[in-house]
């Protein structure tokens, strides 16, 4: 019998122990990897284990989903997908013909491009607005037609901050749902569902897994309402669930999430401060800096740090930025973010002419290397570019 007076462990303790799971057969403290695709039917034709086939559900996936739901305080639970894009697009696929969406001008470019090309084909209109200005969101709402407001905060790659509680108020007043891409915040810094959001999404490929060896995505829902039920159906019917091997690796990573986020965010904050004084850098974009335009809102809705992502704008334009990225030795010149190894990328080369990303911008994903090493490497590259 559990003691009703025992203190509730913190999220950090619960995640470190994968919610305290102990394997009932071996008493192993790590759950086994469940690979079966099909399950024995009972003589009475039922499935008393709750499992029948692996496309809608899998026990290893469920284990990681349990930890993610706990971290996000998700009343409806969490759903893992084969990528962040599979998770995000499941939300938009759940909309009806003729619905209207408001999305950010500054957001993950791959999803923005998908929305711009795929949504019109389903007769769903999308308006892209500056979400750091709640009045812009309010003006874009079409009463009766807007069914979803999508935000991303901090917004990739300028790290603009959107006020989640204010966006929720505006969306709900219009009868719309609020969904938040919280990839760059992680559930350690921000829990959008507690601020009024209906759905939170992460590319779990990033800090949640954190080791650059799994592609995955997750949705967590505030309430198991009909919209959430439709997303569950879309995942199982469309076969978008994460594979068990990837879920196993993700579960292993979630046990150290608190430590990685703390170290990587502290490193990013320190580098942002040091780069602000660098003669070859014109701007540092990081919501943790007191003079950043998003700082006041970020300080309200982020705790324990401001994230592991920052961008710098290099004096001398695109050519100087690209030359800097070419000269680093310790930073890895690669796309993606959130891994334990630090990455640098010239985003305008990736995002193309429609992007709000300035041509002199380098995006930095800060890993767990020594901050002095990271600074020295980029400082040398900036000075020789
Ligand atoms: N959201 C953000 C903020 C991202 O950075 C990315 C990928 O870079 C995605 C969503 C898409 O995730 P995935 O690559 O796992 O499909």
């Amino acid at each position: 019998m559990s003691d009703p007076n025992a203190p509730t462990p913190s999220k950090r303790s619960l995640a470190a122990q994968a919610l305290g799971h102990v394997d009932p057969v071996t008493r192993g403290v790590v759950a086994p990897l469940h690979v079966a695709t099909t399950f024995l039917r009972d003589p009475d034709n039922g499935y008393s284990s709750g499992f029948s086939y692996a496309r809608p559900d899998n026990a290893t996936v469920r284990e990681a989903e349990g930890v993610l739901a706990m971290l996000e305080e998700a009343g409806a639970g969490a759903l893992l997908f084969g990528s962040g894009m599979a998770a995000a697009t499941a939300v938009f696929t759940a909309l009806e013909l003729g619905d209207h969406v408001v999305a950010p001008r500054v957001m993950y470019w791959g999803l923005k491009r998908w929305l711009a090309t795929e949504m019109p084909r389903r007769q769903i209109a999308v308006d892209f607005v500056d979400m750091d200005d709640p009045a812009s969101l309010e003006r874009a709402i079409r009463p009766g037609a807007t069914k979803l407001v999508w935000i991303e905060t901090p917004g990739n790659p300028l790290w603009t901050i959107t006020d989640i509680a204010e966006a929720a108020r505006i969306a709900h007043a219009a009868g719309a749902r609020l969904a938040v891409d919280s990839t760059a915040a992680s559930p350690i810094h921000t829990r959008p569902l507690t601020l009024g959001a209906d759905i939170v999404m992460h590319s779990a490929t990033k800090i949640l897994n954190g080791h650059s060896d799994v592609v995955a995505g997750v949705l967590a829902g505030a309430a198991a309402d009909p919209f959430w039920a439709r997303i569950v159906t879309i995942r199982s019917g469309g076969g978008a669930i994460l594979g068990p091997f990837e879920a196993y690796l993700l579960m292993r990573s979630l046990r150290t999430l608190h430590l990685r986020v703390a170290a990587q965010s502290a490193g990013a904050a320190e580098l942002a401060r040091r780069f602000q004084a660098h003669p070859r850098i014109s701007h540092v974009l990081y919501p943790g800096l007191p003079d950043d335009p998003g700082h006041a809102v970020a300080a309200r809705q982020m705790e324990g740090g401001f994230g592991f992502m920052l961008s710098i704008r290099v004096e001398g334009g695109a050519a100087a930025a690209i030359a800097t990225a070419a000269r680093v030795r310790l930073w890895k010149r690669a796309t993606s973010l959130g891994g334990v190894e630090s990455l640098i990328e010239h985003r305008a080369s990736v995002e193309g002419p429609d992007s709000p990303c300035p041509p002199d911008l380098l995006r930095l994903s800060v890993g767990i290397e020594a901050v002095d090493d990271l600074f020295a490497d980029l400082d040398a590259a900036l000075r020789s570019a």
Side-chain angles (χ1 to χ4, degrees):
M1 278 272 286
S2 63
D3 175 1
N5 297 320
T8 311
S10 64
K11 290 194 173 105
R12 177 178 171 148
S13 297
L14 290 169
Q17 299 193 357
L19 302 177
H21 180 97
V22 174
D23 180 53
V25 177
T26 63
R27 304 201 46 78
V29 298
V30 175
L33 171 51
H34 292 273
V35 294
T37 55
T38 192
F39 301 83
L40 206 59
R41 217 184 243 280
D42 302 329
D44 68 0
N45 221 27
Y47 281 110
S48 54
S49 73
F51 292 96
S52 59
Y53 187 55
R55 194 180 63 220
D57 205 356
N58 169 279
T60 304
V61 170
R62 263 196 207 177
E63 202 201 359
E65 287 173 344
V67 174
L68 288 161
M70 177 276 294
L71 291 173
E72 289 290 4
E73 302 182 35
L79 292 170
L80 277 167
F81 291 76
S83 69
M85 280 297 286
T89 57
V91 177
F92 295 100
T93 309
L95 293 168
E96 304 291 337
L97 201 77
D99 284 354
H100 173 244
V101 173
V102 189
R105 204 171 64 82
V106 179
M107 65 182 289
Y108 170 58
W109 77 285
L111 181 57
K112 192 175 183 188
R113 191 181 54 178
W114 186 90
L115 290 174
T117 54
E118 296 299 323
M119 289 288 92
R121 307 179 95 134
R122 294 158 209 226
Q123 291 172 34
I124 293 173
V126 187
D127 281 317
F128 296 97
V129 305
D130 286 318
M131 287 288 184
D132 51 345
D133 171 23
S136 298
L137 169 58
E138 210 143 25
R139 275 196 304 276
I141 295 281
R142 298 186 194 167
T146 306
K147 293 289 159 41
L148 182 69
V149 174
W150 181 273
I151 63 174
E152 179 181 320
T153 183
N156 192 357
L158 307 183
W159 316 115
T160 45
I161 296 294
T162 300
D163 186 330
I164 298 171
E166 185 61 3
R169 186 192 65 73
I170 295 169
H172 293 162
R177 287 182 173 77
L178 177 70
V180 183
D181 182 340
S182 195
T183 301
S186 91
I188 309 304
H189 291 322
T190 308
R191 281 161 305 284
L193 302 182
T194 67
L195 298 168
D198 301 286
I199 293 173
V200 58
M201 172 260 159
H202 295 270
S203 166
T205 314
K206 315 303 182 194
I207 193 99
L208 292 179
N209 184 63
H211 294 74
S212 306
D213 55 6
V214 166
V215 174
V218 64
L219 298 176
D225 59 13
F227 192 74
W228 183 256
R230 217 168 120 53
I231 292 172
V232 173
T233 304
I234 286 165
R235 185 185 75 163
S236 52
I241 195 171
L242 186 65
F245 287 100
E246 287 78 6
Y248 174 82
L249 284 172
L250 176 60
M251 182 59 253
R252 180 181 172 133
S253 294
L254 291 174
R255 290 170 173 248
T256 58
L257 179 65
H258 284 75
L259 295 181
R260 288 184 288 106
V261 169
Q264 293 179 231
S265 292
E270 174 66 19
L271 287 171
R273 272 192 297 276
R274 290 207 211 173
F275 286 140
Q276 258 196 322
H278 200 285
R280 299 284 168 89
I281 293 175
S282 65
H283 292 91
V284 178
L285 293 81
Y286 185 64
L289 293 171
D291 55 356
D292 186 89
H295 182 70
V297 175
R300 266 206 316 276
Q301 68 186 24
M302 300 182 82
E303 60 182 67
F306 296 90
F308 47 91
M309 296 302 299
L310 69 150
S311 294
I312 54 173
R313 295 184 64 182
V314 179
E315 293 283 5
I322 292 168
T324 300
R327 283 166 169 75
V328 290
R329 289 165 179 268
L330 184 62
W331 294 80
K332 295 289 164 270
R333 206 169 32 256
T335 198
S336 201
L337 48 114
V340 291
E341 63 287 300
S342 294
L343 305 180
I344 186 165
E345 187 173 34
H346 182 249
R347 279 307 290 178
S349 300
V350 177
E351 301 195 8
D354 297 337
S355 162
C357 179
D360 57 2
L361 181 142
L362 290 173
R363 187 180 78 177
L364 308 179
S365 172
V366 179
I368 60 169
E369 304 92 336
V371 173
D372 284 344
D373 294 341
L374 292 171
F375 181 81
D377 186 45
L378 194 44
D379 175 50
L382 282 160
R383 288 178 194 278
S384 67

